[in-house]
Amino acid sequence: MKPAHGRPIAALFRRDMKLAFRRLGESLLPLFFLFTVIVLIPLGVGPGPNLLARMAPGMVWVAALLASLLALEHLFRPDLEDGTLEQWFVGNDSVYGRVMARLLSHWLITGLPVIVFSPLAAEMLNLPDHALGTLILTLLIGTPALSLLGGLAAALTLSTRGASVLLSILIFPLVVPLVIFATGAVSMTADNLDPGAYIGLLGAFTILALTLAPLGIAAALRMNLE
Amino acid sequence: MIWKKLKLWFHMLGSAPYFYGFSRRVAPWLWAGFAITTLYGIYLALYVVPPDYQQGDSARILYIHVPSAWQAMFIYGVMAILAVIALIWRIRLTEIMAMSCAPIGAALTLVCLATGSLWGKPMWGTWWEWDARLTSMLILLFIYIGIMGLYAAFDDKRKGARIACVLVLAGAVNIPIIHFSVEWWNTLHQGQTIRLIGESSMDPSMLPPLLWMVVATKLFFGAALLDRARNELIDQDRNKKWVSERILEAA
């Protein structure tokens, strides 16, 4: 009989999603956090519609980054604490696949709701209507990279003291190109320019992250267990 | 024959007591070389080179600013190579050396940013400009600090070094992307950029002190790296026999 490769990976994914849906309120807290950030900034800089429209792409993206940070600390830690993580490296199935399954569920829980609710955020910040499509597109392309790089930072800081502060310090320089490409694309659309180049670069960055980050995550997880 | 000797020497260098002795012997020479080249370079920069026709005497800060910027990036390259060696061959000494690179690189990045800021106030009229180069140096500083922070957060130093080496490599992949993304970001948002003096447009009389200072920063890096790695080594091995033997021998 053929060994059922992939079955434990699918089981891991189903388990993660089930847990997230059982605690739906808790899972959606990052999304509410995103809106608190988006409300706080106009309160700080003033409600001028032109100013807000200029800042909108950056604010949505920075808020999305902060929201994805919230769930990162618990991305691998419960598995480390109850010993499940060690089983990842004992079994026959690829650690790579498990890492991807975990990141996919992280993205579905933190990235996707942000995309779904981004039109609301864009409207609140007075982003020009014709730039909304580009904003959603950049979020669709870019938030998976956010989960990937966040996963790398989470894996690196897994068994450290004060992981959450360290995690945010590590992730910030890594996501600089992502924020620049994504907000650049949206701003260019808002100025009626062609954002194609920026979207292409954003896609290239995500593909690079997709290729390399899971390897780095798997290596870092293994080292944390040593 | 020479090749074999070199190989043997390289393998011996991996042993902690041998490295301890080697670095104690070599580092003072590097420090001396650093002192001489720096003094000579500064002398040339302050007394021999004429003041810049536009910027006057404040252009002289370039002789510290530019070499430290180059060295800060060079150190990242060295650290990345050491990290690759450390991760593949698991040589403990390379792990220590890679981790010793980070504070030196961070210090030189800070020197570069501070001198640039001091120069920027009279020249650009501001302490800080969101210029592409300034911004990418600042991000480089954050990466260095992240590496140092990650290494320091582990109680098990070997584990910390190996995990921080993964971060070094992630940074090495990302730094060129960050550099270019920041450059495009700036040029698109501001249109006009204030440029530092380009190499090609530099007067030949300005070159000798710059080269001396570049040599000086290289020697500084070598000396500081050997000292730092040696200190880290005896700190980690403080309960081992060879350390107490060497310390007693020196005392």
Side-chain angles (χ1 to χ4, degrees), chain A residues 150-166:
Chain A
L152 183 62
L156 289 170
T157 55
L158 186 57
S159 52
T160 58
R161 289 168 266 122
S164 58
V165 183
L166 203 52

Side-chain angles (χ1 to χ4, degrees), chain B residues 107-185:
Chain B
L108 282 166
T109 315
L110 204 58
V111 167
C112 167
L113 284 169
T115 51
S117 178
L118 287 173
W119 177 86
K121 187 63 187 165
M123 287 301 129
W124 294 348
T126 169
W127 296 108
W128 180 259
E129 180 75 29
W130 285 100
D131 169 78
R133 287 181 172 189
L134 269 73
T135 313
S136 43
M137 281 314 269
L138 186 65
I139 295 169
L140 182 65
L141 180 67
F142 288 141
I143 294 178
Y144 273 130
I145 290 173
I147 293 164
M148 287 157 67
L150 187 59
Y151 178 53
F154 284 89
D155 289 324
D156 178 351
K157 286 292 154 202
R158 276 211 76 172
K159 189 168 147 185
R162 292 175 54 73
I163 289 175
C165 280
V166 177
L167 178 62
V168 170
L169 295 187
V173 173
N174 220 338
I175 281 174
I177 306 174
I178 293 172
H179 179 80
F180 285 110
S181 69
V182 168
E183 212 151 84
W184 293 326
W185 159 74

Side-chain angles (χ1 to χ4, degrees), chain A residues 66-86:
Chain A
L66 293 174
S68 103
L69 267 179
L70 289 183
L72 280 179
E73 208 194 327
H74 298 287
L75 194 60
F76 299 112
R77 179 151 294 193
D79 300 81
L80 178 75
E81 279 165 0
D82 68 10
T84 318
L85 199 62
E86 270 177 54

Side-chain angles (χ1 to χ4, degrees), chain A residues 122-151:
Chain A
E123 200 51 46
M124 286 167 76
L125 295 171
N126 202 34
L127 186 80
D129 286 344
H130 63 275
L132 181 61
T134 315
L135 177 70
I136 294 173
L137 187 63
T138 57
L139 284 170
L140 263 175
I141 303 174
T143 45
L146 220 51
S147 291
L148 286 158
L149 293 172

